[in-house]
Amino acid sequence: MSNLDAIFAPRSVAVVGASTVPGKVGHDIFVNILRGGFTGTLYPVNPSARSVASVRAYPRISEIPDPIDLGMIILPPPLALKAVQEAVENGVKGIVIVSAGFREVGEEGRRIEDRIVAVCREAGVRMIGPNCLGVINPLQAVRLNASFSARMPAPGNISFISQSGALCTAVLDFAADREFGFSKFISIGNKADVDELDLLCYLHRDTDTEVIMLYLEELRRGPEFISTVKEITSGDFRPKPVLVIKSGRTSAGAQAAASHTGALAGTEGVYDAIFKQSGIIRVDTIDELFDFASAFAYKNESELGKLRRKVPSGNKVAIVTNAGGPGIVATDMTVSSGLELARFSPETVEVLASHLPQTANLHNPVDVIGDAASDRYENALAAVIRDQNVDGALVILTPQSMTNVLETAKAIVRIARRSPKPILCCFMGIIDVSAGVKYLQEHGVPVYRFPENAAKAFGALYKYSRWLNRQHLAQFKLSHDRERASRLIEGYLKEGRSYLGELEGLELLSCYGFKTLATELAAGPDQAVELAEKIGYPVVMKIVSPQIVHKSDAGGVRVGLQNADQVRQAFQQITAAARTFDPKAEIRGVLVQQMAPEGVELIMGMNRYPVFGPLLMFGIGGVLVEVFQDVVFRLAPIGRNEARRMIRSIKGYRLLEEFRGRPRTDLTALEKLTVSLSDMVSDHPEIAELDINPLLVHQEGRGATVADCRIILKPADKDR
Ligand code: ADP
Ligand code: MG
């Protein structure tokens, strides 16, 4: 028995702090376990009562004559600490502390919480909580409702981990309405000892769990979370989908930051990266959590027992409907969920024609017409699901006078049983369709009230299938000049310089394979001309001033200068504009830079976060980067495959492929540079923040060029 088994499938439970007063948590939890039909033995512990809810009470744990697996503790902090010590001394194997008043209220509470964790760790006992709703295992063999929710959910194959106790009760209520069954239901509270990552690992191995739902407020482990959860969602050993709902989606990160990356990233960028890198599917609402979970789950009934989880092998969907309007809604949603309408083979169309009336639409979406009875649905669905061009189906039914809801449901179940392709249903309505809905649910066929929900859930299945079947290309062999970069950084820090502009930044970047442009500083117009002739026309000129961060904003950038006259003039204009922009700006001179060849302007950046480390950014760059905000994030370190996915996931990815007569850009070079950036910030913790904007990517085979960068250095300390 693992220690967490002692919590989720105990043979005996002691409720320490069981109360005789109804309405008190200590009373209700005891009664909930009792009434829930717990299959093990239950012991109330209360020093001043003879019995609780007619069950003989014990004054202390040590006086219970039998061994105890799980200690449920409902006592204020100082007493809880004592109870934990006593429980551990008496061989209790797992602990759940429901009571509040710990870390969340202040220093004193935090100290007691830390002591409790120390006692548990010392004894090798795992603890859930404090400040939580408890745990529930509705499965027949256990039937443990060790929570203060009076509602025991139905047994099922979905497990739910929640950081919010209040949300737990709401989810249980929802679940009851949707006939949703659970395997484990866990409120983690302050997660002082057991956290979501421990539970994800436990549920990964748990044969009764097929889908894991997670409500999260914050994570305290980053890189470790990614590597572990990646295995859970897509490893060789029984991969399981993990769905997350995370509070606080809107980014509060847009403070005045010195870099674009700093302004665009924020903690939302961090979470987005963590979920993407670990293969977690993020949902926006509780409704969606349920919608997706039922698509991912399958029943373990004996007749369906051999079925594997149905994930589509492609994104081509067939729609079968008896009404035009919902069919159109489904079609639209299909497209916006990343799916496509399948094109049927001529044979399929022929079969459809032989079964459907003349007015029926034989192409996708198939309209079986409002007067369709169950046979038309059965024939049409059987035909399309067999088609090689079809990866799955959405069946839409609206109750009309000829509709036989239950028989149609039965026909769908018959086909679903034979086909490995997912079939999702939308039976529109509540009362008239209820018999069919119930039948589908009982047989593990996902069913929704609206076509958009069904289409979105199908989209989630496809997303997961893409994650499972993602490419694994061999890593690049990159050679970096790490020592030179270290020497440069050390030098700057010794001089007390923390802000590096282009001149120094480009040099540092070149150690990691970034192609840079000849760039030199001119103090006056004559020197500028001299440098321009050396570099070769056309040139670019840029203001250098510590007070001017975004040079174009200050009229401080001129491109495409062709001759000495233009250079001379540009020098005057740039310095004059800078003085108008900020009369106090200290002007160090003007950079003369080689003009980059044509390319698409991108941004690459990095910002460091406590606990999580360096967050990499990639997206569409240029001076309008904040306007488009087409950027994506990943936590370093990343390799080639993650870099590839990162690059492909921006909205503007099409600009990088062959586009409107423009050749395809050098995507391999971009992948390499993204990995190089990851290597660079991992090698040098002194790099606190970094922006390359623009990075101009040229056509295939010609690489990419850094035209502008800024780097912020901080002496490395142990906290980062
Ligand atoms: P800042 O970001 O401080 O405003 P940049 O150096 O990024 O200044 O220049 C602004 C824009 O000028 C770039 O987005 C790019 O379009 C163009 N640019 C800058 N340097 C070059 C160069 N060397 N070659 C071609 N275009 C350049
Ligand atoms: Mg720039």
Side-chain angles (χ1 to χ4, degrees), residues 80-369:
L81 172 59
K82 269 203 196 117
V84 169
Q85 277 160 337
E86 206 185 315
V88 163
E89 279 158 22
N90 286 280
V92 169
K93 297 191 188 78
I95 286 174
V96 175
I97 304 177
V98 170
S99 320
F102 292 85
R103 167 213 297 267
E104 75 283 7
V105 298
E107 199 36 53
E108 172 70 11
R110 172 190 283 273
R111 252 203 319 276
I112 298 177
E113 190 176 301
D114 289 346
R115 289 276 305 282
I116 290 177
V117 173
V119 170
C120 290
R121 298 229 162 123
E122 161 103 41
V125 167
R126 299 309 306 262
M127 186 269 289
I128 288 184
N131 188 22
C132 72
L133 181 111
V135 299
I136 305 177
N137 180 346
L139 299 180
Q140 286 305 322
V142 180
R143 290 212 304 271
L144 173 70
N145 178 10
S147 80
F148 58 88
S149 160
R151 194 184 276 287
M152 168 86 126
N157 57 16
I158 296 164
S159 287
F160 181 64
I161 305 168
S162 177
Q163 203 177 339
S164 149
L167 189 90
C168 284
T169 42
V171 163
L172 286 171
D173 202 29
F174 252 107
D177 178 51
R178 296 184 58 153
E179 303 220 12
F180 225 74
F182 289 98
S183 168
K184 313 285 176 298
F185 197 96
I186 311 144
S187 164
I188 52 179
N190 291 3
K191 45 185 183 180
D193 175 38
V194 174
D195 69 1
E196 57 283 315
L197 190 53
D198 297 320
L199 291 171
L200 285 168
C201 293
Y202 177 76
L203 295 171
H204 181 214
R205 290 188 303 268
D206 178 24
T207 47
D208 295 316
T209 297
E210 294 302 342
V211 183
I212 305 169
M213 310 201 298
L214 181 61
Y215 169 82
L216 207 62
E217 280 165 2
E218 36 85 77
L219 284 173
R220 298 188 202 131
R221 300 198 251 179
E224 189 189 357
F225 184 91
I226 292 175
S227 55
T228 309
V229 178
K230 207 167 167 176
E231 276 305 301
I232 297 176
T233 58
S234 66
D236 293 333
F237 172 73
R238 294 169 24 91
K240 282 179 191 176
V242 178
L243 308 172
V244 72
I245 180 161
K246 156 95 178 49
S247 53
R249 193 159 206 173
T250 46
S251 175
Q255 340 86 344
S259 65
H260 295 288
T261 313
L264 291 166
T267 49
E268 263 314 286
V270 176
Y271 282 104
D272 212 48
I274 292 175
F275 298 149
K276 294 239 168 69
Q277 284 170 264
S278 50
I280 287 186
I281 294 166
R282 186 173 190 172
V283 303
D284 288 319
T285 62
I286 296 179
D287 244 342
E288 217 167 78
L289 196 61
F290 281 99
D291 283 349
F292 290 9
S294 60
F296 281 109
Y298 62 87
K299 290 254 172 177
N300 271 329
E301 283 173 18
S302 55
E303 50 187 10
L304 290 165
K306 285 200 191 72
L307 278 186
R308 291 160 48 96
R309 184 188 335 280
K310 291 187 183 184
V311 288
S313 37
N315 70 340
K316 307 282 191 295
V317 180
I319 296 175
V320 178
T321 175
N322 69 346
I328 295 170
V329 173
T331 305
D332 289 348
M333 276 312 294
T334 305
V335 175
S336 61
S337 306
L339 306 168
E340 284 175 42
L341 278 198
R343 281 180 71 91
F344 300 144
S345 70
E347 298 81 64
T348 303
V349 176
E350 217 170 283
V351 177
L352 288 173
S354 71
H355 289 297
L356 299 179
Q358 286 211 314
T359 47
N361 183 19
L362 306 179
H363 299 275
N364 215 356
V366 181
D367 189 346
V368 295
I369 314 290

Side-chain angles (χ1 to χ4, degrees), residues 473-480 512-514 604 616-618 634 636-647 667-683 695:
L473 301 178
Q475 294 301 331
F476 294 121
K477 291 200 175 62
L478 302 168
S479 55
H480 306 308
Y512 279 80
F514 284 86
M604 268 190 198
L616 308 171
M617 182 174 92
F618 172 85
R634 293 292 187 274
I638 60 169
R640 178 188 194 170
N641 295 295
E642 199 57 61
R644 194 179 174 84
R645 270 193 297 282
M646 184 180 187
I647 292 164
L667 289 162
T668 314
L670 284 182
E671 288 170 17
K672 274 189 191 156
L673 290 176
T674 312
V675 176
S676 298
L677 179 67
S678 168
D679 291 347
M680 177 169 167
V681 301
S682 306
D683 287 351
L695 173 75

Side-chain angles (χ1 to χ4, degrees), residues 678-707:
S678 168
D679 291 347
M680 177 169 167
V681 301
S682 306
D683 287 351
H684 306 284
E686 302 85 359
I687 302 176
E689 213 171 308
L690 178 154
D691 244 1
I692 302 170
N693 183 30
L695 173 75
L696 289 141
V697 61
H698 314 299
Q699 73 181 68
E700 201 156 18
R702 306 225 175 132
T705 313
V706 180

Side-chain angles (χ1 to χ4, degrees), residues 517 540 542 550-552 593-594 596 601 693-694 708 710:
L517 299 158
V540 177
K542 302 179 186 180
H550 299 294
K551 302 177 288 292
S552 328
Q593 187 174 59
Q594 186 188 351
E601 298 202 1
N693 183 30
D708 180 25
R710 59 183 65 95

